[in-house]
Coordinates of all heavy atoms in Angstrom, one line a residue:
M16 N -81.9 22.4 4.7 CA -82.4 23.3 5.8 C -81.1 23.5 6.7 O -81.1 23.2 7.9 CB -83.5 22.6 6.6 CG -84.2 23.4 7.7 SD -84.8 25.0 7.2 CE -86.4 24.5 6.6
E17 N -80.1 24.2 6.1 CA -78.9 24.4 6.9 C -78.9 25.5 7.9 O -78.0 25.6 8.7 CB -77.7 24.6 5.9 CG -77.2 23.3 5.4 CD -76.7 22.3 6.4 OE1 -75.9 22.7 7.2 OE2 -77.1 21.1 6.3
K18 N -80.0 26.3 8.0 CA -80.2 27.2 9.1 C -80.5 26.5 10.4 O -80.3 27.0 11.5 CB -81.3 28.2 8.8 CG -80.9 29.2 7.7 CD -81.9 30.4 7.6 CE -83.3 29.9 7.3 NZ -84.3 30.9 7.1
C19 N -81.0 25.3 10.3 CA -81.4 24.5 11.4 C -80.2 23.9 12.1 O -79.4 23.1 11.4 CB -82.4 23.4 11.0 SG -82.7 22.2 12.2
V20 N -80.0 24.2 13.3 CA -78.8 23.6 14.0 C -78.8 22.1 14.1 O -77.7 21.5 14.0 CB -78.7 24.3 15.5 CG1 -79.8 23.8 16.3 CG2 -77.3 23.9 16.1
F21 N -79.9 21.5 14.2 CA -80.0 20.0 14.2 C -79.5 19.5 12.9 O -78.8 18.5 12.8 CB -81.4 19.6 14.6 CG -81.8 20.1 15.9 CD1 -83.0 20.8 16.0 CD2 -81.1 19.9 17.1 CE1 -83.4 21.3 17.3 CE2 -81.5 20.4 18.3 CZ -82.6 21.1 18.4
C22 N -80.0 20.1 11.8 CA -79.5 19.6 10.4 C -78.1 19.8 10.2 O -77.4 19.0 9.6 CB -80.3 20.3 9.3 SG -82.1 19.8 9.2
Q23 N -77.5 20.9 10.8 CA -76.1 21.2 10.7 C -75.3 20.1 11.4 O -74.3 19.6 11.0 CB -75.7 22.5 11.3 CG -76.3 23.7 10.4 CD -76.0 25.0 11.1 OE1 -75.6 25.1 12.2 NE2 -76.4 26.1 10.4
I24 N -75.8 19.6 12.6 CA -75.2 18.6 13.3 C -75.3 17.3 12.6 O -74.3 16.5 12.4 CB -75.8 18.5 14.7 CG1 -75.4 19.7 15.6 CG2 -75.4 17.1 15.4 CD1 -76.1 19.8 16.9
V25 N -76.5 16.9 12.1 CA -76.7 15.7 11.3 C -75.7 15.6 10.1 O -75.1 14.6 9.8 CB -78.1 15.6 10.8 CG1 -78.3 14.5 9.8 CG2 -79.1 15.3 12.0
N26 N -75.5 16.8 9.5 CA -74.7 16.8 8.3 C -73.2 17.1 8.6 O -72.4 17.3 7.7 CB -75.2 17.9 7.3 CG -76.6 17.5 6.7 OD1 -76.8 16.3 6.4 ND2 -77.5 18.4 6.6
K27 N -72.9 17.1 9.9 CA -71.5 17.3 10.4 C -70.9 18.6 10.0 O -69.7 18.8 9.8 CB -70.6 16.1 9.9 CG -71.2 14.7 10.2 CD -70.4 14.0 11.2 CE -71.0 12.7 11.6 NZ -71.5 11.7 10.7
N28 N -71.8 19.6 9.9 CA -71.4 21.0 9.7 C -71.3 21.8 11.0 O -70.9 23.0 10.9 CB -72.3 21.7 8.7 CG -72.2 21.1 7.3 OD1 -71.1 20.7 6.9 ND2 -73.3 21.0 6.6
K29 N -71.6 21.2 12.0 CA -71.5 21.8 13.4 C -71.1 20.6 14.3 O -71.7 19.5 14.2 CB -72.9 22.4 13.8 CG -72.8 23.2 15.0 CD -74.2 23.9 15.2 CE -74.1 24.8 16.4 NZ -73.3 26.0 16.2
P30 N -70.2 20.9 15.2 CA -69.7 19.8 16.1 C -70.7 19.4 17.1 O -71.5 20.2 17.6 CB -68.5 20.4 16.8 CG -68.7 21.9 16.7 CD -69.5 22.2 15.4
A31 N -70.8 18.1 17.4 CA -71.6 17.6 18.4 C -71.0 16.2 18.8 O -70.3 15.6 18.0 CB -73.0 17.4 18.0
Y32 N -71.4 15.7 20.0 CA -71.0 14.4 20.4 C -72.1 13.4 20.0 O -73.1 13.3 20.7 CB -70.7 14.4 21.9 CG -70.0 13.1 22.4 CD1 -68.6 13.1 22.5 CD2 -70.7 12.0 22.6 CE1 -67.9 12.0 22.9 CE2 -70.0 10.8 23.0 CZ -68.6 10.8 23.1 OH -68.0 9.7 23.5
I33 N -71.9 12.8 18.8 CA -72.9 11.9 18.3 C -72.7 10.5 18.9 O -71.6 10.0 18.9 CB -72.8 11.8 16.8 CG1 -73.2 13.2 16.2 CG2 -73.7 10.7 16.2 CD1 -73.0 13.3 14.6
I34 N -73.8 10.0 19.6 CA -73.7 8.7 20.2 C -74.4 7.6 19.4 O -74.1 6.4 19.7 CB -74.3 8.7 21.6 CG1 -75.8 9.0 21.6 CG2 -73.6 9.8 22.5 CD1 -76.5 8.6 22.9
Y35 N -75.1 8.0 18.4 CA -75.9 7.0 17.6 C -76.3 7.6 16.3 O -76.7 8.7 16.3 CB -77.1 6.5 18.4 CG -78.0 5.5 17.7 CD1 -77.7 4.2 17.8 CD2 -79.0 5.9 16.9 CE1 -78.5 3.2 17.1 CE2 -79.9 5.0 16.2 CZ -79.6 3.7 16.4 OH -80.4 2.7 15.7
Q36 N -76.1 6.9 15.2 CA -76.5 7.4 13.9 C -76.8 6.2 13.0 O -76.0 5.3 12.9 CB -75.4 8.3 13.3 CG -75.9 9.1 12.1 CD -75.0 10.2 11.7 OE1 -73.8 10.1 11.7 NE2 -75.6 11.4 11.4
N37 N -77.8 6.3 12.2 CA -78.1 5.4 11.1 C -78.6 6.2 9.9 O -78.5 7.4 9.9 CB -79.0 4.3 11.5 CG -80.4 4.8 11.9 OD1 -80.9 5.8 11.4 ND2 -81.1 4.0 12.8
K38 N -79.1 5.6 8.9 CA -79.5 6.3 7.7 C -80.6 7.3 7.9 O -80.8 8.2 7.1 CB -79.7 5.3 6.5 CG -81.0 4.5 6.7 CD -81.2 3.7 5.4 CE -82.5 2.8 5.5 NZ -83.7 3.6 5.6
D39 N -81.4 7.1 8.9 CA -82.6 7.9 9.1 C -82.5 8.8 10.4 O -83.3 9.8 10.4 CB -83.8 7.0 9.3 CG -84.1 6.2 8.1 OD1 -84.2 6.8 7.0 OD2 -84.3 4.9 8.2
V40 N -81.7 8.5 11.3 CA -81.8 9.2 12.6 C -80.4 9.4 13.2 O -79.4 8.6 12.9 CB -82.5 8.3 13.6 CG1 -82.5 8.9 15.0 CG2 -84.0 8.1 13.2
T41 N -80.2 10.6 13.9 CA -79.0 10.9 14.5 C -79.3 11.3 16.0 O -80.2 12.0 16.2 CB -78.2 12.1 13.9 OG1 -77.9 11.7 12.5 CG2 -76.9 12.4 14.6
A42 N -78.5 10.7 16.9 CA -78.7 11.1 18.4 C -77.4 11.6 18.9 O -76.3 11.1 18.6 CB -79.1 9.8 19.1
F43 N -77.5 12.7 19.6 CA -76.3 13.4 20.1 C -76.6 14.0 21.5 O -77.7 14.3 21.9 CB -75.8 14.4 19.1 CG -76.9 15.4 18.7 CD1 -77.1 16.6 19.3 CD2 -77.6 15.1 17.5 CE1 -78.1 17.4 18.9 CE2 -78.6 15.9 17.1 CZ -78.9 17.1 17.8
L44 N -75.5 14.3 22.3 CA -75.6 14.8 23.6 C -76.1 16.3 23.5 O -75.6 17.0 22.6 CB -74.3 14.8 24.3 CG -73.8 13.4 24.6 CD1 -72.4 13.5 25.4 CD2 -74.8 12.5 25.4
D45 N -77.0 16.7 24.3 CA -77.5 18.1 24.4 C -76.4 19.0 24.9 O -75.7 18.6 25.8 CB -78.7 18.2 25.3 CG -79.4 19.5 25.1 OD1 -78.9 20.5 25.5 OD2 -80.6 19.5 24.6
I46 N -76.2 20.2 24.3 CA -75.2 21.1 24.7 C -75.5 21.7 26.1 O -74.6 22.1 26.8 CB -75.0 22.2 23.6 CG1 -73.7 23.0 23.9 CG2 -76.2 23.2 23.6 CD1 -73.2 23.8 22.7
N47 N -76.7 21.8 26.4 CA -77.2 22.3 27.8 C -78.1 21.2 28.4 O -79.3 21.4 28.5 CB -77.9 23.6 27.6 CG -77.1 24.7 27.2 OD1 -76.0 25.0 27.7 ND2 -77.5 25.4 26.1
P48 N -77.5 20.2 28.9 CA -78.3 19.0 29.4 C -79.2 19.4 30.6 O -78.7 20.1 31.5 CB -77.2 18.0 29.8 CG -76.0 18.8 30.0 CD -76.0 19.9 29.1
A49 N -80.4 19.0 30.5 CA -81.3 19.1 31.6 C -81.1 18.0 32.6 O -81.6 18.2 33.8 CB -82.8 19.1 31.1
A50 N -80.5 17.0 32.3 CA -80.2 15.8 33.2 C -79.0 15.1 32.6 O -78.6 15.2 31.4 CB -81.4 14.9 33.3
K51 N -78.3 14.3 33.4 CA -77.2 13.5 33.0 C -77.7 12.5 31.9 O -78.7 11.9 32.0 CB -76.6 12.7 34.2 CG -75.3 12.0 33.9 CD -74.6 11.6 35.2 CE -75.3 10.5 35.9 NZ -74.6 9.9 37.0
G52 N -77.0 12.5 30.8 CA -77.4 11.6 29.7 C -78.5 12.2 28.8 O -79.1 11.5 28.0
H53 N -78.7 13.5 28.9 CA -79.6 14.2 28.0 C -79.2 14.1 26.6 O -78.2 14.6 26.2 CB -79.8 15.7 28.4 CG -80.8 16.4 27.7 ND1 -81.2 17.7 28.1 CD2 -81.6 16.1 26.6 CE1 -82.2 18.1 27.3 NE2 -82.4 17.2 26.4
V54 N -80.0 13.4 25.8 CA -79.7 13.1 24.4 C -80.8 13.6 23.5 O -82.0 13.5 23.9 CB -79.5 11.6 24.1 CG1 -79.3 11.2 22.7 CG2 -78.3 11.0 25.0
L55 N -80.4 14.2 22.4 CA -81.4 14.6 21.4 C -81.4 13.6 20.3 O -80.4 13.2 19.7 CB -81.1 16.0 20.8 CG -81.1 17.1 21.9 CD1 -80.7 18.4 21.2 CD2 -82.4 17.3 22.5
V56 N -82.6 13.1 19.9 CA -82.7 12.1 18.8 C -83.5 12.8 17.7 O -84.6 13.2 17.9 CB -83.5 10.9 19.3 CG1 -83.7 9.9 18.2 CG2 -82.8 10.2 20.5
C57 N -82.9 13.0 16.5 CA -83.4 13.7 15.4 C -83.5 12.9 14.2 O -82.6 12.2 13.9 CB -82.6 15.0 15.1 SG -82.4 16.1 16.5
P58 N -84.5 13.1 13.4 CA -84.5 12.5 12.0 C -83.4 13.2 11.2 O -83.2 14.4 11.4 CB -85.9 12.8 11.5 CG -86.4 14.0 12.3 CD -85.7 13.9 13.6
N59 N -82.8 12.5 10.3 CA -81.7 13.0 9.5 C -82.3 14.0 8.5 O -81.5 14.9 8.0 CB -81.0 11.9 8.8 CG -80.1 11.1 9.7 OD1 -79.9 11.5 10.9 ND2 -79.7 9.9 9.3
N60 N -83.5 13.9 8.0 CA -84.1 14.9 7.2 C -84.9 15.8 8.1 O -85.6 15.4 9.0 CB -85.0 14.2 6.1 CG -84.2 13.4 5.1 OD1 -83.1 13.9 4.7 ND2 -84.7 12.3 4.8
H61 N -84.9 17.1 7.7 CA -85.5 18.1 8.6 C -87.0 17.9 8.7 O -87.8 17.9 7.7 CB -85.3 19.5 8.0 CG -85.8 20.6 8.8 ND1 -85.1 21.2 9.9 CD2 -87.0 21.3 8.8 CE1 -85.8 22.1 10.4 NE2 -87.0 22.2 9.8
I62 N -87.5 17.6 10.0 CA -88.9 17.5 10.3 C -89.1 18.2 11.6 O -88.4 17.9 12.6 CB -89.3 16.0 10.4 CG1 -89.1 15.3 9.1 CG2 -90.8 16.0 10.9 CD1 -89.3 13.8 9.3
E63 N -89.8 19.3 11.6 CA -90.0 20.1 12.8 C -90.9 19.5 13.9 O -90.6 19.6 15.1 CB -90.5 21.5 12.5 CG -89.4 22.4 11.8 CD -89.7 23.8 11.7 OE1 -90.6 24.3 12.5 OE2 -89.2 24.5 10.9
K64 N -92.0 18.9 13.4 CA -93.0 18.4 14.4 C -93.4 17.0 14.1 O -93.4 16.6 12.9 CB -94.2 19.3 14.4 CG -93.8 20.7 14.8 CD -95.0 21.7 14.8 CE -94.6 23.1 15.2 NZ -95.7 24.0 15.1
L65 N -93.8 16.3 15.1 CA -94.2 14.9 15.0 C -95.2 14.7 13.9 O -95.2 13.7 13.1 CB -94.6 14.3 16.3 CG -94.8 12.9 16.5 CD1 -93.5 12.1 16.4 CD2 -95.5 12.5 17.8
N66 N -96.2 15.6 13.9 CA -97.3 15.4 13.0 C -97.0 15.7 11.5 O -97.8 15.4 10.6 CB -98.5 16.4 13.4 CG -98.1 17.8 13.3 OD1 -97.2 18.2 14.1 ND2 -98.7 18.6 12.4
E67 N -95.7 16.1 11.3 CA -95.2 16.3 9.9 C -94.6 15.1 9.3 O -94.2 15.1 8.1 CB -94.3 17.5 9.9 CG -94.9 18.8 10.2 CD -94.0 20.0 10.4 OE1 -92.7 19.8 10.3 OE2 -94.5 21.1 10.6
I68 N -94.4 14.1 10.1 CA -93.8 12.8 9.6 C -94.8 12.2 8.6 O -96.0 12.0 8.9 CB -93.5 11.8 10.7 CG1 -92.4 12.4 11.6 CG2 -93.1 10.5 10.1 CD1 -92.1 11.6 12.8
Q69 N -94.3 11.9 7.4 CA -95.2 11.4 6.3 C -95.0 10.0 6.0 O -95.8 9.4 5.3 CB -95.1 12.3 5.1 CG -95.6 13.7 5.3 CD -95.5 14.6 4.1 OE1 -94.9 14.2 3.1 NE2 -96.1 15.8 4.1
H70 N -93.9 9.4 6.4 CA -93.6 8.0 6.1 C -93.5 7.2 7.3 O -92.7 7.5 8.2 CB -92.3 8.0 5.3 CG -92.4 8.8 4.0 ND1 -93.1 8.3 2.9 CD2 -91.9 10.0 3.7 CE1 -93.0 9.3 2.0 NE2 -92.3 10.3 2.4
P71 N -94.2 6.0 7.4 CA -94.0 5.1 8.5 C -92.6 4.7 8.8 O -92.2 4.4 9.9 CB -94.9 4.0 8.2 CG -95.9 4.5 7.2 CD -95.2 5.6 6.4
S72 N -91.8 4.6 7.7 CA -90.4 4.2 7.9 C -89.6 5.2 8.8 O -88.8 4.7 9.6 CB -89.7 4.1 6.5 OG -89.6 5.3 5.9
I73 N -90.0 6.5 8.7 CA -89.3 7.4 9.6 C -89.8 7.3 11.0 O -89.0 7.3 12.0 CB -89.5 8.9 9.1 CG1 -89.0 9.0 7.7 CG2 -88.9 9.9 10.0 CD1 -87.5 8.7 7.5
S74 N -91.1 7.2 11.2 CA -91.6 7.0 12.6 C -91.1 5.7 13.2 O -90.7 5.7 14.4 CB -93.2 7.1 12.6 OG -93.7 6.2 11.7
N75 N -91.0 4.7 12.4 CA -90.5 3.4 12.9 C -89.0 3.6 13.3 O -88.5 3.1 14.3 CB -90.7 2.3 11.9 CG -92.1 1.9 11.7 OD1 -92.9 2.2 12.6 ND2 -92.4 1.3 10.6
A76 N -88.3 4.3 12.4 CA -86.8 4.5 12.7 C -86.6 5.3 13.9 O -85.7 5.0 14.7 CB -86.2 5.2 11.5
L77 N -87.5 6.3 14.1 CA -87.4 7.1 15.4 C -87.6 6.3 16.6 O -86.9 6.3 17.6 CB -88.3 8.3 15.3 CG -87.9 9.5 14.4 CD1 -89.0 10.4 14.2 CD2 -86.7 10.2 15.1
M78 N -88.7 5.4 16.6 CA -89.0 4.6 17.8 C -87.8 3.6 18.0 O -87.4 3.4 19.1 CB -90.3 3.9 17.6 CG -90.7 3.0 18.8 SD -90.7 3.9 20.3 CE -92.2 4.8 20.2
E79 N -87.4 3.0 17.0 CA -86.3 2.0 17.1 C -85.0 2.7 17.7 O -84.3 2.2 18.5 CB -85.9 1.4 15.7 CG -84.8 0.4 15.8 CD -84.5 -0.2 14.4 OE1 -85.5 -0.7 13.7 OE2 -83.4 -0.1 13.9
S80 N -84.8 4.0 17.2 CA -83.6 4.7 17.7 C -83.8 5.1 19.2 O -82.8 5.1 20.0 CB -83.4 6.0 16.9 OG -83.1 5.6 15.6
L81 N -85.0 5.4 19.6 CA -85.3 5.7 21.0 C -85.0 4.5 21.9 O -84.4 4.6 23.0 CB -86.7 6.2 21.2 CG -87.1 7.5 20.6 CD1 -88.6 7.7 20.8 CD2 -86.4 8.6 21.3
I82 N -85.3 3.3 21.4 CA -85.1 2.1 22.2 C -83.6 1.9 22.2 O -83.0 1.6 23.3 CB -85.8 0.9 21.5 CG1 -87.3 1.1 21.7 CG2 -85.3 -0.4 22.1 CD1 -88.2 0.2 20.9
N83 N -82.9 2.0 21.1 CA -81.4 1.8 21.0 C -80.7 2.8 21.9 O -79.7 2.4 22.6 CB -80.9 1.8 19.6 CG -81.4 0.7 18.7 OD1 -81.7 -0.4 19.3 ND2 -81.5 0.8 17.4
V84 N -81.0 4.0 21.8 CA -80.4 5.0 22.7 C -80.6 4.8 24.1 O -79.7 4.9 25.0 CB -80.8 6.5 22.3 CG1 -80.4 7.5 23.3 CG2 -80.3 6.8 20.9
S85 N -81.8 4.4 24.5 CA -82.1 4.0 25.9 C -81.2 2.9 26.3 O -80.7 2.9 27.4 CB -83.6 3.6 26.0 OG -84.5 4.7 25.6
N86 N -81.1 1.9 25.5 CA -80.2 0.8 25.9 C -78.7 1.2 26.0 O -78.0 0.7 26.9 CB -80.4 -0.4 24.9 CG -81.6 -1.2 25.1 OD1 -82.0 -1.4 26.3 ND2 -82.2 -1.6 24.1
L87 N -78.3 2.1 25.1 CA -76.9 2.6 25.2 C -76.7 3.4 26.6 O -75.7 3.2 27.2 CB -76.6 3.6 24.1 CG -76.4 3.0 22.7 CD1 -76.3 4.1 21.6 CD2 -75.2 2.2 22.7
L88 N -77.7 4.2 27.0 CA -77.6 4.9 28.2 C -77.6 3.9 29.4 O -76.8 4.1 30.4 CB -78.7 5.9 28.4 CG -78.7 7.1 27.4 CD1 -79.9 7.9 27.5 CD2 -77.4 7.9 27.5
I89 N -78.4 2.9 29.4 CA -78.5 2.0 30.5 C -77.2 1.1 30.5 O -76.6 1.0 31.6 CB -79.7 1.0 30.3 CG1 -81.0 1.8 30.5 CG2 -79.6 -0.2 31.2 CD1 -82.3 1.1 30.1
Q90 N -76.7 0.7 29.3 CA -75.5 -0.1 29.3 C -74.3 0.7 29.7 O -73.3 0.1 30.2 CB -75.3 -0.7 27.9 CG -76.4 -1.8 27.6 CD -76.5 -2.1 26.1 OE1 -75.7 -1.6 25.3 NE2 -77.4 -2.9 25.7
S91 N -74.3 2.0 29.5 CA -73.2 2.8 29.9 C -73.1 3.1 31.4 O -72.2 3.6 31.9 CB -73.2 4.2 29.1 OG -74.2 5.0 29.6
G92 N -74.2 2.7 32.1 CA -74.3 2.9 33.5 C -74.8 4.3 33.9 O -74.8 4.7 35.1
L93 N -75.3 5.1 32.9 CA -75.8 6.5 33.2 C -77.1 6.4 33.9 O -77.4 7.3 34.7 CB -75.9 7.3 32.0 CG -74.6 8.0 31.5 CD1 -74.9 8.7 30.1 CD2 -74.2 9.0 32.5
C94 N -77.9 5.4 33.7 CA -79.2 5.4 34.3 C -79.8 4.0 34.2 O -79.3 3.1 33.4 CB -80.2 6.3 33.6 SG -80.5 5.9 31.8
N95 N -80.8 3.7 35.0 CA -81.7 2.5 34.8 C -83.1 3.0 34.4 O -83.7 2.3 33.6 CB -81.7 1.7 36.1 CG -80.5 1.0 36.3 OD1 -79.9 0.3 35.4 ND2 -80.0 1.0 37.5
D96 N -83.5 4.1 34.9 CA -84.8 4.7 34.6 C -84.5 5.9 33.7 O -83.5 6.5 33.8 CB -85.6 5.0 35.8 CG -85.8 3.9 36.7 OD1 -85.9 2.7 36.2 OD2 -85.8 4.0 38.0
Y97 N -85.5 6.3 32.9 CA -85.3 7.4 32.0 C -86.7 8.0 31.6 O -87.7 7.3 31.7 CB -84.5 7.0 30.8 CG -85.1 5.8 30.0 CD1 -86.0 6.0 29.0 CD2 -84.8 4.5 30.4 CE1 -86.6 5.0 28.3 CE2 -85.3 3.4 29.7 CZ -86.2 3.7 28.6 OH -86.8 2.6 28.0
S98 N -86.6 9.2 31.1 CA -87.8 9.9 30.5 C -87.5 10.1 29.0 O -86.4 10.4 28.7 CB -88.0 11.2 31.2 OG -88.3 11.0 32.6
I99 N -88.5 10.1 28.3 CA -88.5 10.5 26.9 C -89.5 11.6 26.7 O -90.7 11.5 26.9 CB -88.8 9.3 25.9 CG1 -87.7 8.3 26.0 CG2 -88.9 9.8 24.5 CD1 -87.9 7.0 25.2
V100 N -88.9 12.8 26.3 CA -89.8 14.0 26.1 C -89.8 14.3 24.6 O -88.7 14.3 24.0 CB -89.2 15.2 26.9 CG1 -90.0 16.4 26.7 CG2 -89.1 14.8 28.4
Q101 N -90.9 14.7 24.1 CA -91.0 15.0 22.7 C -91.6 16.4 22.6 O -92.8 16.5 22.9 CB -91.9 13.9 22.0 CG -91.5 13.7 20.6 CD -92.0 14.8 19.7 OE1 -93.2 15.2 19.8 NE2 -91.2 15.2 18.7
A102 N -90.8 17.4 22.2 CA -91.3 18.7 22.0 C -91.6 19.0 20.6 O -90.8 18.7 19.7 CB -90.3 19.7 22.6
N103 N -92.7 19.8 20.3 CA -93.1 20.1 19.0 C -93.2 21.6 18.8 O -94.2 22.2 19.2 CB -94.4 19.4 18.6 CG -94.3 17.9 18.5 OD1 -93.9 17.4 17.5 ND2 -94.6 17.3 19.6
G104 N -92.1 22.3 18.4 CA -92.1 23.7 18.2 C -91.5 24.4 19.4 O -91.3 23.8 20.5
D105 N -91.0 25.7 19.2 CA -90.3 26.4 20.2 C -91.0 26.6 21.6 O -90.5 26.5 22.6 CB -89.9 27.8 19.7 CG -88.9 27.7 18.6 OD1 -88.2 26.7 18.5 OD2 -88.8 28.7 17.9
S106 N -92.3 26.8 21.5 CA -93.1 27.1 22.7 C -93.4 25.8 23.5 O -93.9 25.8 24.6 CB -94.4 27.8 22.4 OG -95.2 27.1 21.6
A107 N -93.0 24.6 22.9 CA -93.3 23.3 23.5 C -92.1 22.9 24.4 O -92.2 21.8 25.0 CB -93.6 22.3 22.5
C108 N -91.0 23.6 24.3 CA -89.8 23.2 25.1 C -90.0 23.4 26.6 O -89.9 24.6 27.0 CB -88.6 23.9 24.6 SG -88.2 23.4 22.9
I109 N -90.4 22.4 27.3 CA -90.8 22.6 28.7 C -89.7 23.0 29.6 O -89.9 23.5 30.7 CB -91.5 21.3 29.2 CG1 -90.6 20.1 29.2 CG2 -92.8 21.1 28.5 CD1 -91.1 18.9 29.8
W110 N -88.4 22.7 29.3 CA -87.3 23.0 30.2 C -86.6 24.3 29.9 O -85.7 24.7 30.5 CB -86.3 21.8 30.1 CG -85.8 21.5 28.7 CD1 -84.9 22.2 28.0 CD2 -86.4 20.5 27.9 NE1 -84.8 21.6 26.8 CE2 -85.7 20.6 26.7 CE3 -87.3 19.5 28.0 CZ2 -85.9 19.7 25.6 CZ3 -87.6 18.7 27.0 CH2 -86.9 18.8 25.8
Q111 N -87.1 25.1 28.9 CA -86.5 26.4 28.6 C -87.1 27.4 29.6 O -88.2 27.3 30.1 CB -86.8 26.8 27.2 CG -86.0 26.1 26.2 CD -86.2 26.6 24.8 OE1 -87.2 27.3 24.5 NE2 -85.3 26.3 23.9
N112 N -86.3 28.5 29.8 CA -86.8 29.6 30.7 C -87.9 30.3 29.9 O -87.7 30.9 28.9 CB -85.6 30.5 31.0 CG -86.0 31.6 31.9 OD1 -87.2 31.8 32.2 ND2 -85.0 32.4 32.4
K113 N -89.1 30.3 30.5 CA -90.3 30.9 29.8 C -90.4 32.4 30.1 O -91.2 33.1 29.5 CB -91.6 30.2 30.4 CG -91.7 28.8 30.0 CD -91.9 28.6 28.5 CE -92.2 27.1 28.2 NZ -92.3 26.8 26.8
S114 N -89.4 33.0 30.9 CA -89.5 34.4 31.2 C -88.9 35.3 30.0 O -89.0 36.5 30.1 CB -88.7 34.7 32.5 OG -87.4 34.4 32.3
T115 N -88.3 34.6 29.1 CA -87.7 35.4 28.0 C -88.6 35.6 26.8 O -89.6 34.9 26.7 CB -86.4 34.8 27.4 OG1 -86.7 33.4 27.0 CG2 -85.3 34.8 28.5
Ligands
ZN4 ZN1 -83.4 20.6 10.8

């Protein structure tokens, strides 16, 4: 799924500042951060929506990565408190300009 910008980043075909990566998940800084420390956490295999995850190993890897990335942000001094937002599909992105 190389048309997908997230897959391009995961496969290192598009530059990004990757802060965490394992065999299942890649986390990188958002190019247009909504807040300091805005990180995107993506499965390494293309999955567009949460309900499309078919293997518990992937959902477990995602949750473990969210915890690890949260600890990285806290240990770096960027934050003590944090939000985790999970968007499913283009119209679910709550921080995008809805006027377009
Ligand atoms: Zn993708």
Side-chain angles (χ1 to χ4, degrees):
M16 187 55 86
E17 279 300 310
K18 289 190 299 184
C19 170
V20 67
F21 302 123
C22 288
Q23 291 174 357
I24 290 170
V25 166
N26 294 320
K27 310 246 173 49
N28 292 323
K29 188 170 184 74
Y32 193 94
I33 293 174
I34 66 164
Y35 178 87
Q36 190 167 44
N37 63 27
K38 70 178 182 60
D39 296 312
V40 176
T41 299
F43 49 90
L44 298 179
D45 193 293
I46 195 168
N47 293 310
K51 193 164 67 172
H53 185 170
V54 174
L55 300 176
V56 179
C57 298
N59 291 343
N60 292 320
H61 184 85
I62 300 172
E63 286 191 23
K64 299 178 181 178
L65 192 66
N66 61 294
E67 296 173 354
I68 295 174
Q69 296 182 350
H70 301 286
S72 64
I73 300 302
S74 53
N75 291 341
L77 282 166
M78 181 54 76
E79 181 180 305
S80 297
L81 291 173
I82 294 167
N83 290 337
V84 168
S85 300
N86 281 324
L87 286 173
L88 294 174
I89 291 168
Q90 290 163 5
S91 72
L93 275 174
C94 65
N95 284 316
D96 301 326
Y97 56 90
S98 298
I99 295 175
V100 177
Q101 210 284 316
N103 293 277
D105 290 341
S106 62
C108 294
I109 59 173
W110 52 83
Q111 287 184 341
N112 184 350
K113 295 291 186 184
S114 63
T115 56

